[in-house]
Amino acid sequence: MSAKQDEDALIGLAQEFRDALRQSVYVLRRLDAHGELSSAQLSVLKMALDGGARVGEIARDLGVKVPSATEQIIRLERAGLLRREADPNDSRAVRVAATAEGRAAVDLADRRRNERIAAILATLGRDERDAIRAALPVFHKINSSVRD
Amino acid sequence: MSAKQDEDALIGLAQEFRDALRQSVYVLRRLDAHGELSSAQLSVLKMALDGGARVGEIARDLGVKVPSATEQIIRLERAGLLRREADPNDSRAVRVAATAEGRAAVDLADRRRNERIAAILATLGRDERDAIRAALPVFHKINSSVRD
DNA sequence: ACCTAACTATTAGGCTACCTAAATATGAGC
DNA sequence: GCTCATATTTAGGTAGCCTAATAGTTAGGT
């Protein structure tokens, strides 16, 4: 097979991959049920679970700019799900830590979302689930490479 | 393996899958370069390529409500990339058709996006690409099942 | 023929989640 | 102690989605 053909095959795969990405957005949107934590908020809150995190760390982990993280944090704080406290080592920084209510909310939302996805995965054949399982680490790798 | 263990494995897979979905959103965001058609607009415009489509059809295909589709269509019309015309068979309906400029814009945006993705896929090993390839149809199936 | 119910699209108003630029405050190096 | 870098917040803006209300068109029943 020529280099040109390789290139074409790669572009074709890219096109299909792009479609899958787009569809993933819609799947994720459906997963956001009313009255529950949104995907974005859940992600922020999860970072605030163990020992707390700084605003900048949260933003970096989520792939958004700092002001976007601040916005979510403020909302979650108003909802009583996390607290902002001064960092003892660096008073420029703010440490964000989940409250007990926050922990409970993460627990509940996580469980519900997993159940919804699991219900879908349960309708797949074993080979299909295996295909998904095999692809997940590659998705992870792709994401990391895009982050930089 | 007990049914309980099966269930647990499924939940675990669901959790990983959810992470991958979330990451997909970020990958897709990075793919939206400045000054180019957005993902959403590109999708709308693609539907308007061959023979035109009705607003409702576009909305359904994109998994959004009709007013959201209208909004994108209006923007694209203002940009000169598509035209809205009365449907000859049903004057309630509106047919949306891409202009020559629209076609060119789709072409360009599609090529650029595919190139960006292909560049990432090129960094993967053959087995990793195969894993992606095998998973894509399953993603498609999952999406369809969520749509209903 | 007509009236009602169903359908198609738009308008109006509102929300979330992102962004950039500017302001504020603290820390660190010389 | 000045200056420069770092951490966060505030202010203002945009895209893209939503629901509810409106207007026009079609189709079905009597």
Side-chain angles (χ1 to χ4, degrees):
Chain A
M1 198 153 68
S2 75
K4 176 88 177 78
Q5 278 173 327
D6 279 351
E7 174 67 14
D8 285 354
L10 207 56
I11 293 285
L13 184 60
Q15 175 66 60
E16 286 180 60
F17 186 70
R18 226 149 55 71
D19 280 346
L21 283 181
R22 183 174 71 85
Q23 293 179 341
S24 296
V25 175
Y26 300 129
V27 172
L28 207 57
R29 228 189 323 266
R30 303 295 168 100
L31 208 58
D32 273 331
H34 295 301
E36 235 174 61
L37 287 171
S38 70
S39 279
Q41 289 181 333
L42 183 52
S43 296
V44 169
L45 203 44
K46 273 183 167 180
M47 290 274 315
L49 279 185
D50 20 82
R54 292 162 59 138
V55 177
E57 286 173 353
I58 292 176
R60 210 168 312 115
D61 184 78
L62 267 62
V64 300
K65 301 298 176 188
V66 173
S68 304
T70 297
E71 188 181 330
Q72 300 294 355
I73 289 165
I74 288 174
R75 241 205 289 274
L76 289 166
E77 188 177 41
R78 274 203 284 260
L81 300 182
L82 57 75
R83 265 188 307 270
R84 280 190 287 181
E85 330 175 319
D87 187 318
N89 304 328
D90 182 348
S91 23
R92 291 170 303 180
V94 168
R95 294 209 69 81
V96 174
T99 62
E101 291 83 0
R103 276 168 209 287
V106 166
D107 233 58
L108 180 65
D110 240 6
R111 194 165 47 243
R112 290 225 177 125
R113 279 160 187 268
N114 282 343
E115 280 166 5
R116 273 177 229 137
I117 293 287
I120 292 169
L121 295 176
T123 68
L124 299 176
R126 170 177 302 276
D127 50 339
E128 290 175 319
R129 269 197 300 278
D130 286 344
I132 292 288
R133 209 187 321 271
L136 289 179
V138 188
F139 265 78
H140 203 276
K141 183 173 175 182
I142 288 172
N143 180 251
S144 306
S145 80
V146 168
R147 267 236 198 295
D148 311 331
Chain B
M1 198 154 67
S2 74
K4 177 89 177 78
Q5 278 172 327
D6 279 350
E7 174 67 16
D8 285 353
L10 207 56
I11 293 285
L13 184 58
Q15 175 66 61
E16 285 180 61
F17 186 70
R18 226 149 56 69
D19 281 346
L21 283 181
R22 182 173 74 83
Q23 292 178 341
S24 296
V25 175
Y26 299 128
V27 172
L28 206 57
R29 226 187 326 264
R30 302 295 167 99
L31 208 57
D32 274 330
H34 293 302
E36 235 175 63
L37 285 171
S38 70
S39 280
Q41 290 182 333
L42 183 52
S43 296
V44 169
L45 204 44
K46 274 183 166 181
M47 291 273 317
L49 278 186
D50 22 81
R54 294 163 58 139
V55 177
E57 286 172 353
I58 292 175
R60 211 168 310 118
D61 185 75
L62 267 63
V64 301
K65 300 298 176 188
V66 173
S68 304
T70 296
E71 188 180 331
Q72 300 293 356
I73 289 165
I74 289 174
R75 241 204 290 273
L76 290 167
E77 188 178 41
R78 274 203 282 261
L81 301 182
L82 57 76
R83 264 189 308 271
R84 280 190 288 182
E85 329 175 321
D87 186 317
N89 304 327
D90 183 345
S91 24
R92 290 171 303 183
V94 169
R95 296 208 68 81
V96 175
T99 62
E101 290 84 2
R103 276 168 209 288
V106 166
D107 232 58
L108 180 66
D110 239 5
R111 194 166 47 244
R112 289 225 179 124
R113 279 161 187 268
N114 281 344
E115 279 165 5
R116 273 177 229 136
I117 294 286
I120 292 168
L121 294 177
T123 68
L124 300 176
R126 169 177 302 276
D127 50 339
E128 290 175 318
R129 271 197 300 277
D130 286 344
I132 292 287
R133 212 189 318 272
L136 289 181
V138 188
F139 264 77
H140 203 277
K141 183 174 175 181
I142 289 173
N143 179 250
S144 307
S145 79
V146 168
R147 266 232 196 297
D148 311 333

